[in-house]
Amino acid sequence: DNTVQFWDVRAGSAVRAIFGPHICGDALDITADGKVLLTGSWREEEQLELWDFGSGKRLETLPWRSPGSLQEPACSLYCTRFSRDASSSLIVAGGFLPNAGKGEAKVFAREAEGASPKQAGGAAASSGPRCAGTLPSFTCLSADVSPGDGSRVAFGGSDGRIRMMRLESSAAGGPEEGGGGPIPP
């Protein structure tokens, strides 16, 4: 029904709802501090969204593709997950590319609250999560991040295989741009 229902077990029913997300699979998570809800939708636009848990208002829509990159095909999401560190610094998500007949998974690095990201030369960069790694060409049904530093991400595919991604740490303590890649055997 394209809603996320907030149930109160004392009332025995939903007390409010978020309208819009079309969740298929394990595509719902909440930050470690309980303030932000993450939804992944099975649709071609605005698949990855962050919501204020207290008010139910949408905070941000995260683009699946970076501006200026190939916009097609869109990825319909089966799974989303925050990392388990105190700041929920990573978002992992994956799904299926209906028009391409294959899937894709991504890791996004979130900026720490109050931090201003910098580009080369010290100029301010755009805020918001940035892609830290992509795992192409398989349908991703589930994802999880290792506890602690979040340096390992596991993706479960429709082919029955698990793919592992290792994220390199930067001097700032987060994954480096493009640093993700499969873990060698």
Side-chain angles (χ1 to χ4, degrees), residues 35-37 49-53 55 57-61:
K35 294 180 180 179
V36 178
L37 190 67
E49 298 171 292
L50 297 174
W51 304 83
D52 180 80
F53 185 81
S55 69
K57 293 186 181 192
R58 186 167 70 178
L59 300 171
E60 186 175 3
T61 298

Side-chain angles (χ1 to χ4, degrees), residues 6-154:
F6 290 81
W7 281 72
D8 183 334
V9 293
R10 298 167 298 182
S13 63
V15 293
R16 64 186 171 102
I18 292 174
F19 296 93
H22 184 85
I23 297 174
C24 293
D26 189 17
L28 182 69
D29 202 8
I30 191 164
T31 53
D33 64 9
K35 294 180 180 179
V36 178
L37 190 67
L38 170 67
T39 60
S41 292
W42 182 262
R43 60 181 178 218
E44 292 187 8
E45 296 177 352
E46 299 183 341
Q47 306 95 316
L48 204 51
E49 298 171 292
L50 297 174
W51 304 83
D52 180 80
F53 185 81
S55 69
K57 293 186 181 192
R58 186 167 70 178
L59 300 171
E60 186 175 3
T61 298
L62 310 177
W64 187 254
R65 307 243 183 257
S66 54
S69 70
L70 176 67
Q71 294 300 313
E72 293 294 330
C75 189
S76 297
L77 300 181
Y78 280 127
C79 61
T80 58
R81 176 88 54 227
F82 280 116
S83 57
R84 299 293 172 229
D85 58 293
S87 62
S88 301
S89 62
L90 298 174
I91 294 172
V92 297
F96 183 67
L97 306 162
N99 297 331
K102 57 185 176 180
E104 186 173 62
K106 290 186 180 245
V107 178
F108 296 91
R110 298 175 70 211
E111 294 296 329
E113 208 169 302
S116 59
K118 303 285 183 185
Q119 293 177 342
S126 62
S127 61
R130 61 179 170 75
C131 184
T134 300
L135 200 53
S137 301
F138 83 108
T139 300
C140 181
L141 301 178
S142 63
D144 208 352
V145 182
S146 64
D149 66 358
S151 64
R152 303 266 193 271
V153 180

